Amino acid sequence: MAASSSYEGVLLGMGNPLLDISAVVDEAFLTKYDVKLNNAILAEDKHLPMYDELSSKGNVEYIAGGATQNSIRVAQWMLQIPGATSYMGCIGKDKYGEEMKKNAQAAGVTAHYYEDEAAPTGTCAVCVVGGERSLIANLSAANCYKSEHLKKPENWALVEKAKYIYIAGFFLTVSPDSIQLVAEHAAANNKVFLMNLSAPFICEFFRDAQEKVLPYVDYIFGNETEARIFSKVRGWETENVEEIALKISQLPLAEGKQKRIAVITQGADPVVVAEDGKVKTFPVILLPKEKLVDTNGAGDAFVGGFLSQLVQGKSIEDSVKGGCYGANVIIQRSGCTYPEKPDFN
């Protein structure tokens, strides 16, 4: 590996930092709060009592989360180069915020959080049933990120330093102007800009914001459910994931952009990669059902593993392998956590 100094700040993430409140629950709990298994939604009033109820469970765990932050932490862990990654997002001035700062530091990520005086740190209820997860995000402070924070010299310096910038689609609900600033910077400076479809509701209800930034995106990630909704919203009349990936990769590009690569995961089925008008599929690492602990963070970990290889100039094939390794490690543990050192080669 090259000298670590050349990797300083190579990868920047921006997103919604959330403290995951994770617990194993039963079907009745999901029914009580009107939650579907394997979905990701924003909390409504009816969901708010859920956070205290989860916190009171004996098996509850608190883990620094939020989709982009998860991916950045996994990339940092797989790179094992101090200071290779950085992250921005908004937290509250409270105990959960302090927990978040400690967590980021322990993970080796350079985090520049915007601290909101009024709103509490965002939380995400992670309800695990039989290894499958449902996520209910209460954004709170995460919703308060402002582009003014991004423009401060010490924060914009992270943007300047980065060669790869990754933002999950969830951030479109918070600060589309911040995304636009960074996307245009990446295009003007020949940097790699990556995004994620993130959830069906983003593709459905934040289509305009998504549409505006897509021309700048060099790599777009998503899973098969998100891809199908993306296709449906655009009236493409196909549920075929390979076809959809190809169509996404061929959507118009901003000036100066050469091409877009679409990477769609399908759980235990092969990863679909569309590039240069062709589609390739790559097998995932299969896991016996009894080894599955929970799927929370699997997609984020895939992106993190993928990024850890991409920023080192590795091929798409190696990057997908890195992604599959990251996801495989995470689903054998509770939440988006990992052992001390990776054994990926």
Side-chain angles (χ1 to χ4, degrees), residues 5-161:
S5 61
S6 63
Y7 283 100
E8 195 192 328
V10 67
L11 172 62
L12 167 66
M14 290 172 66
N16 302 336
L18 303 172
L19 197 69
D20 282 355
I21 304 173
S22 177
V24 175
V25 300
D26 53 18
E27 297 277 359
F29 185 91
L30 297 186
T31 307
K32 174 178 174 181
Y33 288 106
D34 190 23
V35 170
K36 291 191 187 76
L37 195 55
N38 254 334
N39 203 357
I41 58 170
L42 293 177
E44 298 169 40
D45 288 345
K46 65 182 177 187
H47 299 120
L48 297 181
M50 174 192 285
Y51 297 87
D52 282 341
E53 190 173 337
L54 279 177
S55 296
S56 68
K57 291 191 178 292
N59 62 2
V60 68
E61 289 181 277
Y62 297 97
I63 301 157
T68 306
Q69 186 163 241
N70 283 343
S71 297
I72 296 298
R73 280 174 44 237
V74 170
Q76 178 63 46
W77 169 67
M78 283 185 64
L79 281 163
Q80 293 285 308
I81 302 169
T85 64
S86 53
Y87 176 79
M88 283 188 265
C90 185
I91 57 176
K93 278 196 157 170
D94 53 18
K95 62 172 192 198
Y96 285 165
E98 287 307 312
E99 189 69 30
M100 196 84 82
K101 287 194 277 193
K102 278 206 303 253
N103 255 304
Q105 202 173 357
V109 176
T110 306
H112 286 202
Y113 295 115
Y114 170 56
E115 293 182 53
D116 191 89
E117 301 280 346
T121 295
T123 47
C124 183
V126 181
C127 307
V128 181
V129 181
E132 306 285 334
R133 58 85 179 128
S134 291
L135 308 175
I136 305 90
N138 185 14
L139 294 180
S140 298
N143 215 6
C144 303
Y145 190 83
K146 306 277 187 293
S147 55
E148 289 84 77
H149 176 263
L150 173 63
K151 291 172 187 165
K152 284 188 176 161
E154 66 273 26
N155 301 325
W156 190 254
L158 297 180
V159 179
E160 298 260 317
K161 198 180 276 183

Side-chain angles (χ1 to χ4, degrees), residues 133 196-197 221-228 263-266:
R133 58 85 179 128
N196 204 311
L197 298 177
F221 298 93
N223 65 27
E224 75 278 36
T225 314
E226 295 150 10
R228 288 187 176 119
V263 183
I264 309 294
T265 59
Q266 310 185 84

Side-chain angles (χ1 to χ4, degrees), residues 207 228-238 247:
R207 180 181 169 173
R228 288 187 176 119
I229 294 290
F230 188 95
S231 166
K232 186 177 155 191
V233 167
R234 279 162 182 72
W236 286 351
E237 295 185 355
T238 176
K247 279 179 172 290

Side-chain angles (χ1 to χ4, degrees), residues 74 77-78 285 287 291 293-294 301 322-335 337-339 341-344:
V74 170
W77 169 67
M78 283 185 64
I285 307 164
L287 188 71
K291 282 195 167 176
V293 175
D294 82 53
C324 291
Y325 170 81
N328 185 263
V329 168
I330 297 299
I331 61 178
Q332 296 183 63
R333 300 167 68 89
S334 175
T337 62
Y338 36 75
K341 289 270 195 307
D343 59 359
F344 175 73

